């Protein structure tokens, strides 16, 4: 039987290999476009509904979807509900009343608007979503699969394990922050907690010392103060996990104002590789890593799958997976949005310019 020390060594070796693979450059081979294309006949009318255009992780794929749609000559408009659930429903209802051909959403779970999505589907409207939960398979296309978020949470735990040992000569002691509004964030938290459980089973010392929740509408108002209080109440923590970068940005600012953002004592991890967060990572600020998804190509993937749906075909895997972005591999400027020009490959696939 393996001893605890042997189990811990094997666990560390596996974590090291996984982190190395996740920080490596993505290529057209590792993250390929689907083979072949199915172009719809004639122009289409499409409405794009992001969670909020004020949230970078929602705005980037929404703009990408609009850009890809217009390349094909479609009438593509963005209807911004600004994270208001009532306005999200109203936006979907407006799209149905306009008799559009498709609705493309971002970070809006099917469970939150299932009646509206059912009405759209009953009206013969194609419906796809980027970064969403898909209750009852109401969305015909999901990019990426929800499981990609569980993997992102697990991978961030793996990174934190190595980084805490490197910085503090300690196992990671996590404060876990979640937004219960989003299935994707809940999946990320689930993945992180699975990592913590696996780490503990290997005798490698990981701990969750505290947990808190917040709502998207609070990230720039009351939530940063609550996060600072949570950090103050748990001085032994050394890793702060937030479900998405827009929240982490405000939380890190709140910690800094409270004098609690010393990267020699703790660091933050999150998802999206937004511009400001990647800048923080690049410059050795409080946030040390983020999982990026190539949102600039995600909209092209949505449009590619809508084309397939219009043609009566099955949507295809669009090759979008998470990339672990750290100070060692962060781009020289801006956020992370892919390691190769997938947009050019979509244009080639569709034979457009």
């Amino acid at each position: 039987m393996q001893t605890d020390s042997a189990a811990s060594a094997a666990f560390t070796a596996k974590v090291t290999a996984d982190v190395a693979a996740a920080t490596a450059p993505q290529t057209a081979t590792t993250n390929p476009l689907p083979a072949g294309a199915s172009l719809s006949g004639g122009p289409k009318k499409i409405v794009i509904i992001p969670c909020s255009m004020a949230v970078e992780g929602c705005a980037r794929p929404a703009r990408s979807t609009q850009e890809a749609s217009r390349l094909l000559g479609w009438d593509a408009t963005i209807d911004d509900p600004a994270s208001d659930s009532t306005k999200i429903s109203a936006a979907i209802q407006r799209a149905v009343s306009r008799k559009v051909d498709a609705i493309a959403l971002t970070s809006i779970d099917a469970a939150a608007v299932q009646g509206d999505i059912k009405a759209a589907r009953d009206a013969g409207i194609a419906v796809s979503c980027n970064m969403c939960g898909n209750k009852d398979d109401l969305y015909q296309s999901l990019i990426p699969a929800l499981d990609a978020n569980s993997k992102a949470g697990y991978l961030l735990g793996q990174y934190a394990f190595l980084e805490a040992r490197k910085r503090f000569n300690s196992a990671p002691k996590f404060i876990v922050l979640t937004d219960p509004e989003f299935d994707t964030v809940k999946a990320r938290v689930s993945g992180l907690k699975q990592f913590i459980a696996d780490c503990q089973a290997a005798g490698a010392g990981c701990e969750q010392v505290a947990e808190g929740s917040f709502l998207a509408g609070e990230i720039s108002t009351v939530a940063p103060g609550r996060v600072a209080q949570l950090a103050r109440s748990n001085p032994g923590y050394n890793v702060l996990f937030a479900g998405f970068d827009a929240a982490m940005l405000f939380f890190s600012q709140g910690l800094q104002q409270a004098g609690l953002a010393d990267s020699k004592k703790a660091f933050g991890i999150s998802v999206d590789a937004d511009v400001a967060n990647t800048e923080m990572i690049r410059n050795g600020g409080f946030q040390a890593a983020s999982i990026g998804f190539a949102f600039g190509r995600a909209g092209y993937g949505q449009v590619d799958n809508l084309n397939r749906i219009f043609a009566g075909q099955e949507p295809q895997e669009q090759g979008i997976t998470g990339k672990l972005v750290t100070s060692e591999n962060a781009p020289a400027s801006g956020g992370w949005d892919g390691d190769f020009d997938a947009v050019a490959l979509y244009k080639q696939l569709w034979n457009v310019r």
Side-chain angles (χ1 to χ4, degrees), residues 133-340:
N134 195 13
K135 180 179 173 60
D136 297 333
D137 292 328
L138 287 170
Y139 293 137
Q140 294 161 277
S141 167
L142 202 64
I143 301 172
L146 187 61
D147 182 60
N149 293 279
S150 302
K151 292 176 180 176
Y154 195 95
L155 179 58
L156 284 170
Q158 292 180 304
Y159 168 82
F161 176 78
L162 297 180
E163 189 67 11
R165 285 161 56 112
K166 175 182 169 183
R167 291 193 190 194
F168 316 127
N169 194 29
S170 167
K173 302 179 188 304
F174 294 93
I175 290 178
V176 180
L177 302 171
T178 184
D179 184 338
E181 301 166 287
F182 301 105
D183 286 351
T184 49
V185 175
K186 289 187 283 187
R188 294 164 191 172
V189 170
S190 177
L192 176 65
K193 289 184 175 181
Q194 183 60 58
F195 169 78
I196 295 171
D198 290 349
C199 178
Q200 291 173 340
C206 300
E207 296 179 52
Q208 177 182 315
V209 298
E211 184 167 6
S213 65
F214 61 92
L215 301 177
E218 300 174 335
I219 63 173
S220 63
T221 55
V222 297
R226 294 205 306 265
V227 171
Q229 183 56 47
L230 198 58
R232 191 176 288 112
S233 301
N234 295 275
Y237 98 98
N238 55 26
V239 182
L240 183 77
F241 171 90
F244 53 96
D245 271 0
M248 176 58 80
L249 181 63
F250 286 108
F251 297 165
S252 64
Q253 292 169 350
L255 290 171
Q256 186 172 12
Q257 290 169 4
L260 297 169
D262 185 350
S263 59
K264 294 179 182 178
K265 296 179 179 178
F267 59 85
I269 51 176
S270 187
V271 177
D272 281 343
D274 286 348
V275 171
N277 299 75
T278 306
E279 181 74 9
M280 197 179 347
I281 292 167
R282 188 166 41 242
N283 293 333
F286 180 75
Q287 186 169 349
S290 185
I291 301 292
F293 291 87
F295 287 149
R297 80 178 266 189
Y300 280 76
Q302 274 195 308
V303 169
D304 186 78
N305 274 338
L306 287 173
N307 264 318
R308 296 171 195 273
I309 292 167
F310 293 148
Q313 300 172 5
E314 289 296 316
Q316 298 295 309
E317 171 58 50
Q318 294 292 328
I320 295 175
T321 62
K323 164 79 175 280
L324 178 59
V325 178
T326 71
S327 61
E328 295 181 357
N329 68 353
S333 62
W336 183 85
D337 203 8
D339 291 323
F340 65 99

Side-chain angles (χ1 to χ4, degrees), residues 72-108:
L72 299 179
W74 297 359
D75 175 358
T77 58
I78 294 175
D79 194 335
D80 180 12
S83 296
D84 185 316
S85 58
T86 301
K87 292 180 180 179
I88 292 170
S89 288
I92 297 170
Q93 291 165 16
R94 280 194 293 274
V96 173
S97 68
R98 286 182 56 199
K99 298 184 165 121
V100 300
D101 297 291
I103 301 172
L105 302 98
T106 293
S107 295
I108 298 171

Side-chain angles (χ1 to χ4, degrees), residues 34-59:
S38 178
L39 294 180
S40 56
K44 300 292 182 183
K45 192 158 52 175
I46 175 174
V47 168
I48 301 156
I49 306 174
C51 63
S52 170
M53 290 299 286
V55 175
E56 187 179 331
C58 291

